[in-house]
Amino acid sequence: MWLKMLAARFVGTFLLLGAVGDFRDVEPVTPREDPGAWREPAPGVGLRELGDATGLRIGWAVVPRELRRDAAYRQRVADGHVIVAENAMKWQVIQPAPDRWRFEPGDDLVRFAIAHGQAVRGHTLVWHGGLPTWLREPEEEWTPEALRAVLETYVTTVVGRWRGHIEAWDVVNEAVAGLFRDPLRTTLWRETLGDGYIAETFRLAHAADPGAKLFYNDFRIEAPNRKADRVEALLRGLLADGVPVHGLGLQAHMHFELPDEEALVANLERFAALGLELHLTEIDVAIPGEITVEQRIRQAIAMRRLTRACLRVPACTTMVFWGVDDGRSWVPRFFTGWKAPLLYDSRMERKLSWYGVADALREGRPDRRLPESVLLD
Ligand code: XIL
């Protein structure tokens, strides 16, 4: 009921703005994308229940410290099937010095997941970011032998530590370049070990936990584009070489556009055709400048389209939001002028974007509709 009243206000403004042409950069929206047509879940029904009914898992990137100190945060995080450490399982946290290992924050997360019947995504083993200084700025340049030994120890130790507890690892993160002629990003790993570092890391991870699903993860590959083509070529090559790759993570940090649902579906399908499981791993839809009513609607429609696209492709099993609430999002810290990209506001209230996701979930997969009992008129 409350949602209807709120939406009626939004839609009124929406139509008005449409009429005066202020909304011209919003691609045509369908009648079902009108928030006034969205139905509110019954009291007590959250995204986890809606996801269960429709066969799509919802997840959150989590900060262990916040889990400890904020009950409202804990409660929102529990309303999901999957959690991932926003930073706690990155190299700079886990091995701040060559002889210092720090597993406690990651352990906290794993314990929370076990207590709440959730799966854990591991993020991330090899990346150019999140590295400790000793690795990034060594006193002497790394030789391939020395760096390979460091990589082997790290992957074996970390994956081994949580063996059996991590459902899926982002084994290699952001290795592909989108803008340059060279398809792979130049990083410490590539420069020192050669292009083969990618396959090597997957093999090491597989040996350390043969039961974990191993993912390649990257950003701005949600829509068909040159970078997505390059990722496809990389994955095809790895699979042809028998490298243990089981999934693709599409980060889905959206900062610029209202995604085109058909393009999302077509792109997810071409990756699914490789036989991979697909996760949307780091979803956020940032708002530029002023947070206006039309921006909130646009954001909610974007979230709804992402959810629908995932639902339409059976290989797309999991959607992870990169944080719970706007107050703790990385976006304003990293992108000046961009903000409020998540499903809860900084007072931990559900936003229209939450209802956009919920509405897509309640529509279900094309072949699987939700029982009326979880809905409220
Ligand atoms: C970000 C975190 O959200 C920040 O808190 C941290 O300071 C930097 O990293 N792609 C990724 C994530 O794969 O690990 C990044 O997370 C966001 C971009």
Side-chain angles (χ1 to χ4, degrees):
M1 207 51 70
W2 169 86
L3 179 63
K4 268 199 172 159
M5 280 161 54
L6 183 77
R9 236 194 79 214
F10 279 152
V11 170
T13 318
F14 183 42
L15 294 178
L16 185 72
L17 287 168
V20 297
D22 251 352
F23 224 54
R24 61 189 165 271
D25 61 336
V26 174
E27 296 76 357
V29 294
T30 67
R32 284 287 301 117
E33 289 186 320
D34 170 345
W38 299 351
R39 290 173 70 189
E40 193 174 353
V45 173
L47 297 182
R48 186 163 173 168
E49 190 171 336
L50 292 171
D52 283 340
T54 200
L56 192 155
R57 303 182 314 165
I58 297 297
W60 311 103
V62 169
V63 178
R65 191 184 53 245
E66 303 299 318
L67 272 185
R68 274 196 301 278
R69 70 176 180 207
D70 184 341
Y73 183 85
R74 274 199 298 280
Q75 192 222 340
R76 308 298 184 274
V77 172
D79 185 28
H81 310 83
V82 180
I83 57 176
V84 59
E86 183 171 349
N87 293 303
M89 291 191 187
K90 289 178 182 168
W91 205 314
Q92 63 189 5
V93 174
I94 292 185
Q95 197 184 9
D99 55 354
R100 251 188 76 211
W101 295 84
R102 199 163 162 252
F103 296 111
E104 295 77 24
D107 286 347
D108 283 354
L109 214 113
V110 170
R111 262 194 297 274
F112 183 92
I114 293 171
H116 293 84
Q118 296 173 311
V120 183
R121 297 193 87 265
H123 177 81
T124 177
L125 297 174
V126 163
W127 185 31
H128 60 276
L131 293 175
T133 321
W134 63 271
L135 200 47
R136 222 174 3 148
E137 294 165 17
E139 279 165 24
E140 277 172 54
E141 223 175 277
W142 288 108
T143 62
E145 296 69 37
L147 190 64
R148 188 163 278 121
V150 163
L151 177 67
E152 193 174 329
T153 303
Y154 183 79
V155 173
T156 308
T157 308
V158 174
V159 176
R161 164 96 190 179
W162 290 304
R163 181 182 166 128
H165 290 298
I166 305 278
E167 183 205 70
W169 268 107
D170 289 334
V171 174
V172 176
N173 194 30
E174 303 181 349
V176 170
L179 298 176
F180 304 106
R181 190 189 291 270
D182 190 351
L184 288 185
R185 187 193 288 268
T186 306
T187 65
L188 166 70
W189 306 110
R190 186 179 183 218
E191 276 181 315
T192 317
L193 304 178
D195 296 358
Y197 83 90
I198 298 177
E200 280 180 44
T201 312
F202 274 95
R203 292 204 161 100
L204 286 170
H206 187 59
D209 186 354
K213 294 180 189 171
L214 305 185
F215 277 62
Y216 175 75
N217 192 52
D218 216 326
F219 63 93
R220 290 197 79 71
I221 53 166
E222 298 74 29
N225 58 33
R226 186 164 75 150
K227 187 168 176 188
D229 293 346
R230 288 172 166 186
V231 168
E232 184 184 344
L234 171 71
L235 292 168
R236 271 186 197 284
L238 292 172
L239 292 167
D241 291 344
V243 178
V245 184
H246 311 113
L248 173 65
L250 304 99
Q251 293 184 3
H253 292 292
M254 303 270 159
H255 290 84
F256 310 100
E257 74 284 70
L258 188 61
D260 175 337
E261 188 180 312
E262 299 309 316
L264 287 172
V265 169
N267 199 49
L268 291 173
E269 276 172 347
R270 66 131 141 199
F271 289 123
L274 301 177
L276 298 171
E277 180 170 340
L278 308 177
H279 291 178
L280 304 181
T281 49
E282 304 185 15
I283 304 166
D284 48 22
V285 178
I287 292 182
E290 278 292 287
I291 303 178
T292 59
V293 168
E294 62 270 27
Q295 290 288 8
R296 288 181 196 278
I297 294 172
R298 201 182 149 90
Q299 177 183 59
I301 293 174
M303 289 289 193
R304 188 172 176 280
R305 285 187 186 180
L306 279 171
T307 312
R308 278 178 55 87
C310 188
L311 284 163
R312 286 173 57 186
V313 180
C316 188
T317 61
T318 306
M319 294 180 63
V320 179
F321 297 90
W322 202 243
V324 177
D325 58 292
D326 290 343
R328 279 170 274 220
S329 163
W330 75 305
V331 164
R333 282 186 284 122
F334 277 76
F335 306 96
T336 314
W338 295 81
K339 47 181 121 28
L342 292 167
L343 302 189
Y344 290 94
D345 66 22
S346 46
R347 292 166 321 170
M348 302 307 277
E349 302 289 347
R350 292 172 180 178
K351 295 165 55 183
L352 194 61
S353 52
W354 189 97
Y355 290 99
V357 172
D359 184 68
L361 288 174
R362 74 118 200 120
E363 267 200 344
R365 294 202 183 255
D367 58 348
R368 194 161 163 195
R369 302 284 163 191
L370 250 62
E372 285 292 308
S373 58
V374 298
L375 303 172
L376 191 71
D377 267 324

